[in-house]
Amino acid sequence: MASFSVGEAATAGFGLVGRRPLAVVGWAVALVAALIVPAILCVLAMGPAFAQIIQLAMSQKGGEPSPEMMQGMLQAQSGMTAFNLLYWLWSSFVRAVFCAAVFRAVLTPERSAWAYLRVGSRELWLTLLLLVEQVLAMIAIFVIALVVALIVAIVAVGGGESGHLAAIATAVGGCVVAGGVILWVALRLSMAAPMTFVDDQFRLFESWSLTKGQGWRLLGVALLLVIFVLGLEILVGGVVVGLLLAGGGSLTALHGTGAIETFMARPPLEILRDVWPWLTALGVVGALFSAIVQAVFFAPWAVIHRALTRET
């Protein structure tokens, strides 16, 4: 039976970052252009409405929200609904492009032009795969949550005096079992993305046969990736805190009573002009962190796919 090394697969992303640092920098720049710029445009477009809501919220003296505040919140929410849908589609496409870039860097390292970034059929198939996976995951979670809630309700009603304790135990046990099932299915389908990339066709359930007998090894890789990403988050969090502490004295406009209300009452362009140095610094750190995480997370699955298919 084909197999793979858990340690080699889990650390493949760090090896890729070490071998191709310029590609990682290119990914960071592309991430800024692809995700942060649209977000800034949204802030500029929706900024006045949100600033008005914040001002109304801060002016509340307690009790029920004012009609003006409720109306403003409804308008902002309706405006964000369409944006959220478009941003979900766009972010899935961007994630697919970077997923393909990492796969390309691992499987065909000689094709290094444009930091391995392409927009073609492979990226479109991966986008479709990501969208389908997200929708199926939401449906599965909803159904499982509904089943667990129904079982808990039955236990609570039929448990008599100790029904609440039995319901709590059932809920905890149900969540653990459901989480385990979801994780097992996700691991069995983990080869769908590299299979879709390599075959240049939509692949999902075909991953089931390829990962047969590899569950524990895949789980080991997944656990190591969680540890690695948490370690990176702690490291980046320390850098961000250091930046904020280093620049804390420069944002004197936010000090004092009522300073935040006054600051938020200004036009969005003026606010952006004052905070852009900090947004830039945080953006650089965040973009590099995101690019490294992309490599750390996606590279192992390409390595696993190569190992499993090489011997079959």
Side-chain angles (χ1 to χ4, degrees):
M1 177 184 293
S3 186
F4 61 91
S5 168
V6 173
E8 179 183 352
T11 57
F14 293 105
L16 177 60
V17 172
R19 293 192 306 272
R20 307 290 181 179
L22 293 181
V24 176
V25 174
W27 296 343
V29 174
L31 277 170
V32 171
L35 294 180
I36 296 181
V37 171
I40 292 176
L41 293 176
C42 175
V43 170
L44 293 177
M46 304 294 295
F50 283 113
Q52 183 180 7
I53 293 174
I54 294 174
Q55 294 176 47
L56 290 172
M58 290 181 174
S59 64
Q60 293 290 311
K61 302 300 183 182
E64 295 294 330
S66 65
E68 293 82 4
M69 180 179 175
M70 294 300 298
Q71 183 179 1
M73 291 181 64
L74 290 175
Q75 291 177 350
Q77 185 177 6
S78 62
M80 286 297 295
T81 300
F83 177 82
N84 287 335
L85 177 60
L86 292 174
Y87 196 78
W88 173 58
L89 296 173
W90 174 251
S91 61
S92 297
F93 170 72
V94 171
R95 188 164 179 248
V97 170
F98 284 97
C99 176
V102 175
F103 288 169
R104 193 171 285 111
V106 172
L107 300 175
T108 55
E110 68 279 0
R111 301 180 60 185
S112 60
W114 298 99
Y116 299 99
L117 293 169
R118 308 284 192 278
V119 176
S121 58
R122 285 183 168 84
E123 286 72 17
L124 295 179
W125 283 121
L126 282 172
T127 301
L128 178 61
L129 174 66
L130 293 176
L131 292 173
V132 170
E133 286 180 336
Q134 292 175 72
V135 172
L136 290 178
M138 289 187 288
I139 294 174
I141 291 172
F142 174 78
V143 172
I144 291 174
L146 189 62
V147 172
V148 171
L150 181 61
I151 296 174
V152 169
I154 294 174
V155 171
V157 172
E161 297 180 356
S162 60
H164 64 286
L165 294 177
I168 293 174
T170 303
V172 173
C175 290
V176 171
V177 172
V181 171
I182 292 174
L183 177 60
W184 177 67
V185 172
L187 291 175
R188 291 298 303 273
L189 297 179
S190 60
M191 290 297 98
M195 290 178 73
T196 296
F197 174 81
V198 172
D199 298 341
D200 197 8
Q201 292 288 333
F202 181 85
R203 298 285 185 263
L204 179 55
F205 297 109
E206 292 84 352
S207 170
W208 200 268
S209 59
L210 185 60
T211 56
K212 183 179 180 180
Q214 306 293 338
W216 288 111
R217 291 179 179 274
L218 291 170
L219 178 61
V221 173
L223 291 177
L224 286 176
L225 288 180
V226 170
I227 295 173
F228 293 156
V229 172
L230 287 176
L232 289 173
E233 288 180 347
I234 293 173
L235 177 62
V236 172
V239 173
V240 171
V241 170
L243 288 174
L244 293 177
L245 291 177
S250 62
L251 295 178
T252 55
L254 299 180
H255 300 165
T257 305
I260 295 180
E261 293 88 337
T262 304
F263 184 81
M264 294 302 301
R266 302 164 60 193
L269 288 178
E270 291 187 12
I271 297 176
L272 187 62
R273 182 187 60 195
D274 289 343
V275 302
W276 76 265
W278 308 109
L279 291 178
T280 301
L282 294 176
V284 169
V285 174
L288 287 173
F289 169 73
S290 298
I292 293 173
V293 168
Q294 299 278 349
V296 170
F297 181 79
F298 287 128
W301 312 111
V303 171
I304 294 171
H305 177 270
R306 181 176 60 192
L308 295 181
T309 55
R310 179 180 298 168
E311 301 179 28
T312 56

